[in-house]
Amino acid sequence: MLPTMPMQSLLSRQWTDLKQRPFRRKLSRQETSQQLVSSVEQLESMKDCFFCHTLRYELWEVLVNDYLPNHNLNKTDATLSILDRLEGFWGDEMTLSLETLRMLVRDDKWTEAQKNANKNLKQFTYRHLDDEEARPTKYCVMVIVAPLDKGDITRDVGQELRSMMHSKGGPPPYNVVTCTSVEEALLCVLINSDIQAIVVQDLQHSINCENANAFVEDFRHLVEGYDRFVAKPIKEIHNGASIHGTLLKAIKMMRPEIHLYTVTHSQTPLLASGKGQGTLAPAPFEEDERYVDSSGDFDPSIFINREFCQLDGHLELHDTIVQGVKEKQACPFFDALKRYAEKPIGVFHALAISRGNSIHKSRWIGHFMDFYGMNLFKAESSSTCGGLDSLLEPHGAIKDAQELAAKTFGAHKTFFVTNGTSTANKIVLQAVLKPNDVVLVDRDCHKSHHYGMVLTGARPCYLDAYPLHDFSMYGGVPLETIKRTLLAYKAQGRLMQVKLLVLTNCTFDGIVINVQRVMEECLAIKPDLIFLFDEAWYAYAYFHPIYRLRTGMGAANILRHNLRSSDGPRRHTLCLQQMGVDSIDEASNDVLMNTRLFPDPAHAVVRVYATQSTHKSLTALRQGSMIHVNDDLFSQCVNAAFTEAYFTHTSTSPNYQILASLDVGRSQMALEGNLLVKGQIEAALTLRRHAAQNALIAKYFRILTVRDMIPSQHRLTSTVDHFYQEEVLKKAVQLKPSSDWKSADVRVLERLWLSDDEFVLDPTRITLYTGNSGIDGDTFKVKWLMEKYGIQVNKTSRNSVLFQTNIGTTSSAIMYLLQCLEKAALEIDGTLKFSSDRERELHQRRIDDMTIRAPPLPNFSEFHKSLGPPQPAARGKNNTHEDEGGEVLVRDGDLRTPYFLAFDESHCAYYDIKEALECINNGQELVATSFIIPYPPGFPVAVPGQVLSAAILEFLIRLDVKEVHGLNAELGLRCFRPEVLASVTPTAGPPAAVQLPAANNMNESTAHSTAPSVTP
Ligand SMILES: Cc1ncc(COP(=O)(O)O)c(C=O)c1O
């Protein structure tokens, strides 16, 4: 019998025991498989888990609340044998605690066992805990060492760190997880989101590469990204790559926010000593070349936060680990604001609300203070001194906060914005564009981009995203369209005018692009192209290793690494060889279109901007956004313009609470972003799975799948057809404890996202198709979800509503939504059952309206000829703007001139919309004076200066929506009088030919193509 003693002394005694034994309980393969199958058979709840963290929670939960109180020996045993595989990844303390539990159960001490298990369960709860031992902020530190049983006399760093914490007294801030092989270590990083720091110990023997236990075989379906982040680096080591370098790089690829430390025997730094070179026999190299980061040469010491010497003991290491975590937790601006709020300050500034003074004096508005509490008003300030800082000229707390944000989001620089991404976009556009620069822009982009181009005088060339007519929404812009457009500009000698590509990533509806591929192929054609990825909805993506590869910042960093390593020239040469040419310029358009291009590292520069509405997906107050800059030429070419643009759009009274929330939101993601994003994905997959499985819900509602949202020509990976598909989902819920349950959604997610496919669907955007219920999206949103059930959603289309999960989504919310969908289905079912024939006929008509008779989405037509691309001199083959396929691709236009022309009422005429259609059909040209934006879908079907097509008018006539911005139903369609545009002088003349400089010689005058002619 174990004596009851405080956890700490219990652990301390057991750590001594542990030293005598292998680090992790190793089970023979046979033992594991047999045990596991029988365990899984008993534990139904496992089937619903997508990630190891949730599985752990579920198992501890059921143990504490069911199996232990009911003395269920079989199920307890089954649970413990599954936890046996998992807990070692959360620290040797957890393995020990499990063994203690096992002993207690064996000795029939059920109550004690339950108390013990309860302690472990508490680490998952977010409720306030008095129990310091189990507080959820306890994190993990991984120590990577060679197996001790090699007879190594190396001092055990993990053990010393534990002793250190023990001798310091108080609750230990972290658990030590010891890993003895590369595979085990990488696997642990992938599954244990609680790891904040890793210590790699200098070793007499190289770290083993082999699998340390049977975990992967049994839990592969719960480990997303194994092939890419674990198997691939191991293969590289087998091929002779440095063990330590490869290990460190792989860790950084997965979790860049983890601090890395090394402990060396000698005073020579570990990596400089050349130790740890791969010594194992090379394995056949069968890497998929299409979409990988380069494994080429790099200096791994860049990944290390600090090196320590073994001889010095480990107090400094321990303090550095703890300090590193505190640094991530620190919120420089929020902390400064709190300090400021505490100070007694007399306010003689123009801020009556400051310190709540104007409210205290009021007899009427005390409820304002009652609701928000005093702190809000104490923190309201307009001071830029006294510890606070100025957003417009940051030198203190705001500067520090922005620098930490840049580090956390993988940027070179980050700028806080207090007026949303609407403003962030305008700042970036104004910073990088001059009048008459051409911008290739997603036609379905947010309206801030259009207005940004009006402001800068740049010429948008709208690119059509692929349409999803059945759902009245757009997908993404195909890479083929982008490449063909660039080549068309090149053919017309205007490529130098094309400055920027703006793409939405991901779209409202969850279409995510292949950022790295888009950049690589575009830079092969135009090496200095700037990219702006509008990631208004996608700030969380950087914190999941698989998602990160398809973000602006994540892809920019990989691309730069690839271009600078020796792999860059190799890949470029391979690409030329494949085309049979010596330079890209020699290749025909056909060949270029059919080749996966890679840019010339001698010329290509990485110039990437991402704008994110932090407030949309992370912890931040409304309007809190960030601009992330990852531009090699920023200091040289953009800095001054950026400052001006930032000054143009930033309020001189920015809201401090928004800034503080951005600071806190950053800190949260640096510490727990990985775990939270996994939870967000898990909630979405659970919702998708259960909605598809529920027969009643499925009768009237359907969650759209990859197959619905991404046409097959834009996805090559065959497995995509099986992703989120009803049959698979149905099968998934009947999973048997056999090989079936190993192929759940997470693996499919990984295979798709890591492929070279152009588009993938973010499962956390859940488009519920309501067409079969006869209820349109807007009605379902307002009358059903909001009014009946109090559920708030954002976007609707004609026949769909969009749900999205976020880092705050709870399991209870998912359960509630499913319950409401079921209730709605039940109500429709009941109503139909008792309807008359006529009522049913009408219901069917409504369904037909929404499912069969969708008006086709109109493509962008063209700008009026006085505003469109330059005339004959710059025109291509056959004196037209058509490319070889007969499509008009060079179609930039002047947005600014018609925008201002339309301010003069005498320039405009009004048409009844049907009358306008007749005029067009009779050959008359009607040109829009303003943006016409129907809600939904919310993108402009016409912009100022655009020739209205019959398709656009037919769409507007058939579109049954209440809100159409820019179209006053009473006044009619506002168009330019023909004589007004006839008198406009075209602005964009052909550019002088400019030779591109080598990437490293790029400077302001060459990198920024100069506008050929600027309208006064
Ligand atoms: C793609 C996109 N970009 C930018 C924005 C504007 O973001 P914010 O609301 O933060 O101004 C939105 C808003 O819906 C958006 O959908």
Side-chain angles (χ1 to χ4, degrees), residues 419-423 425 446 448 504 508 534 536-537 613 615-616 625:
N419 193 25
T421 300
S422 306
T423 291
N425 286 337
H446 186 257
S448 51
T504 312
F508 223 142
D534 183 334
W537 297 94
S613 296
H615 69 95
K616 287 195 203 292
S625 285

Side-chain angles (χ1 to χ4, degrees), residues 86-116:
L86 286 168
E87 287 304 323
F89 289 101
W90 268 263
D92 305 332
E93 291 84 347
M94 296 306 295
T95 314
L96 286 170
S97 150
L98 208 60
E99 286 196 19
T100 309
L101 199 61
R102 218 182 256 287
M103 276 191 282
L104 291 170
V105 172
R106 205 175 43 211
D107 294 345
D108 229 11
K109 298 187 185 324
W110 291 95
T111 316
E112 222 173 301
Q114 199 185 342
K115 264 196 213 155
N116 204 306

